[in-house]
Amino acid sequence: MGYKGCSMTEVPPYRPLSGKTILYGVTGGIAAYKAAEYARNLTKLGAAVVPVLSRNARRFISPLTFSALTGQRSHTDLFDLSGAETIPHIELARSSDLFIILPATASIIGKAANGLADDLISTLLLSYSGPVLFFPSMNPYMYGHAATQENLKALRALGYGIVGPDTGEAACGEVGQGRLVPWDTAKEGIIAALTPSSLSGITVVVTAGPTRESVDPVRFISNRSSGLMGYAMAKVARRRGAEVKLVSGPVSLERPPGVEFHGVETAAEMAEIVKGLAGGADVVVMAAAVADYTPRQSLDRKMKKSASNLTLELMPAEDILSFLTSHRRLGQIIVGFCAETHDLKANALKKKREKGVDLLVANDVSMPGVGFDVPTNEVLIIDPEEEIEQVPMLHKEEVAEHIWDRIQGLVS
Ligand code: CTP
């Protein structure tokens, strides 16, 4: 294949928000301190982040913190015309791709629900015509109050997006719903709001991670899959508006927000769940590293060691992918993955024919930075005409974007 050696340092950083400007409204809640870190994270994803702080937000955190973290001037005053050619709220509203309010207090939610405009953030909300996301954060009683709930309903009816809040212990010590969502959830909500809904109306099943085949109560046979590639496939599909069902073997990754999650352990469990879900799926992506063999017998009691050699008898596990392709519903797209250590192209083409998949994504897991347990991947995508696209080494979420671009071309 003539691969060029590619070290991790050469992989370009993943910047899905490159070229996007986010107007970042911060209102006065204790979670304003987290907002500073989230703002920084968004700039790392490539976004230009323009902070706007309410008077009460400035009691929790300084505009200077946001300016330093984002490299942009923080806006605070509705009537500050210094250096502006037009009035600031009109200029800010015009130049942004997304407006987020993070954290959003009960007060700003109430103002926005009723069209009040008495400071810079609430005025911006009325002068802004693009997508808006609120990230509520408040005491659980305030969140549960009928007035807040009515106001949130009104925001939804106005077409605003609402992400969270999360459940847990609030800063005041109360436990309940009201916490700002964690960064991963905020990130997915923001990327999704800036991503065209090209998979809207499509139901997708994605498998990910390894399986574990039990030998006895303390031992199992498994593989090195981290689940990163499958989780990236699930996240990107969700960002594009698909309904996503993720069937995952045991991994140490956060569940992607907004996806229906099915945790499994063995190949047999994965087969059962996938077969149950596949009938309702437009696309099935088998990114899991499913066991090919499973012990003929799983012992109830721990196996004791002895001085002699030990032979474990293994029997074939069901090939889920082959089952799916031979039972596919009309128009269903089935995508397989293959991990090879040599003769990548030849083995991948053979596997594509044998498994009868529409697309096969192949990688050479013997290469550094490719395959198991690394954040990057380099793959070949083989399409129905056996045309091969070589995707260079990229972050797995960016590789997933390439794969979904190809899948979308096949979805009728
Ligand atoms: N797969 C499956 N069920 C199995 C084993 C694999 O559905 N019991 C799927 C994987 O999810 C993947 C594809 O088959 O999409 C190829 O997996 P891979 O391990 O590369 O190939 P195998 O079919 O197992 O063949 P081999 O191990 O001989 O390379």
Side-chain angles (χ1 to χ4, degrees):
M1 293 294 314
Y3 293 110
K4 57 182 184 330
C6 186
S7 73
M8 295 286 289
T9 50
E10 289 172 73
V11 179
Y14 179 53
R15 293 183 184 275
L17 298 178
S18 196
K20 303 291 183 192
T21 299
I22 299 175
L23 196 51
Y24 196 110
V26 185
T27 60
I30 181 63
Y33 83 94
K34 288 190 194 161
E37 193 187 344
Y38 290 13
R40 172 82 179 133
N41 292 346
L42 288 171
T43 63
K44 284 191 184 158
L45 294 176
V49 174
V50 181
V52 185
L53 278 76
S54 74
R55 192 164 52 87
N56 282 339
R58 300 197 307 273
R59 300 164 83 107
F60 287 96
I61 193 153
S62 106
L64 185 61
T65 305
F66 279 89
S67 301
L69 292 173
T70 63
Q72 303 275 344
R73 180 179 154 217
S74 290
H75 299 263
T76 55
D77 191 352
L78 182 57
F79 301 106
D80 176 12
L81 294 173
S82 60
E85 286 173 10
T86 59
I87 32 182
H89 58 272
I90 302 296
E91 192 175 293
L92 288 172
R94 264 191 210 142
S95 54
S96 306
D97 299 289
L98 176 68
F99 188 5
I100 66 174
I101 315 289
L102 187 161
T105 57
S107 171
I108 189 67
I109 289 168
K111 282 192 210 177
N114 292 285
L116 300 184
D118 66 350
D119 64 2
L120 184 51
I121 291 179
S122 53
T123 305
L124 275 166
L125 278 166
L126 285 189
S127 38
Y128 184 69
S129 58
V132 179
L133 286 184
F134 283 81
F135 293 80
S137 168
M138 66 198 77
N139 163 283
Y141 287 110
M142 291 174 78
Y143 178 70
H145 195 284
T148 310
Q149 291 303 314
E150 281 304 312
N151 288 334
L152 286 165
K153 228 187 270 172
L155 290 193
R156 285 191 197 94
L158 288 167
Y160 295 139
I162 296 161
V163 182
D166 208 7
T167 301
E169 189 181 344
C172 54
E174 309 277 5
V175 177
Q177 199 175 1
R179 280 160 59 105
L180 179 69
V181 291
W183 162 244
D184 279 347
T185 308
K187 172 187 157 190
E188 289 307 315
I190 291 166
I191 298 178
L194 288 164
T195 304
S197 299
S198 46
L199 289 172
S200 169
I202 299 291
T203 300
V204 166
V205 173
V206 178
T207 68
T211 61
R212 278 182 187 168
E213 308 305 314
S214 171
V215 173
D216 69 14
V218 297
R219 303 181 180 91
F220 55 78
I221 300 173
S222 191
N223 59 66
R224 294 181 197 281
S225 170
S226 63
L228 278 169
M229 194 63 234
Y231 276 55
M233 288 298 289
K235 280 186 198 173
V236 171
R238 181 70 203 124
R239 290 172 193 168
R240 294 184 181 194
E243 184 181 334
V244 180
K245 300 174 186 199
L246 174 62
V247 185
S248 174
V251 295
S252 55
L253 301 173
E254 292 289 329
R255 292 181 188 183
V259 314
E260 183 182 305
F261 185 84
H262 300 263
V264 298
E265 188 147 319
T266 63
E269 283 167 17
M270 186 171 278
E272 191 186 333
I273 300 279
V274 172
K275 286 179 190 176
L277 296 174
D282 302 293
V283 181
V284 184
V285 176
M286 282 294 302
V290 190
D292 289 331
Y293 293 94
T294 188
R296 178 167 291 283
Q297 237 192 330
S298 169
L299 304 175
D300 294 337
R301 301 175 70 178
K302 187 182 171 204
M303 197 190 293
K304 288 303 200 187
K305 88 176 159 214
S306 72
S308 50
N309 290 349
L310 172 73
T311 304
L312 272 181
E313 194 182 348
L314 304 178
M315 61 181 191
E318 180 176 6
D319 190 320
I320 306 170
L321 195 52
S322 298
F323 175 91
L324 292 174
T325 52
S326 55
H327 292 80
R328 80 170 80 203
R329 70 175 223 211
L330 200 66
Q332 187 176 55
I333 306 298
I334 299 179
V335 181
F337 273 66
C338 87
E340 303 291 341
T341 52
H342 56 279
D343 299 330
L344 180 65
K345 197 170 161 185
N347 281 329
L349 274 168
K350 183 165 171 271
K351 216 170 260 183
K352 163 143 189 344
R353 287 171 203 153
E354 281 169 4
K355 302 245 181 186
V357 291
D358 301 285
L359 281 186
L360 187 83
V361 181
N363 56 18
D364 180 344
V365 291
S366 67
M367 282 176 56
V370 175
F372 297 137
D373 219 6
V374 287
T376 52
N377 210 354
E378 178 176 321
V379 302
L380 302 180
I381 306 176
I382 309 181
D383 76 5
E385 277 72 51
E386 299 194 354
E387 294 291 328
I388 299 179
E389 176 187 347
Q390 182 161 1
V391 181
M393 191 174 303
L394 295 169
H395 191 282
K396 280 181 175 164
E397 286 179 24
E398 212 167 350
V399 174
E401 287 174 5
H402 277 272
I403 299 169
W404 278 113
D405 287 346
R406 300 304 296 256
I407 297 172
Q408 270 170 226
L410 302 177
V411 177
S412 46

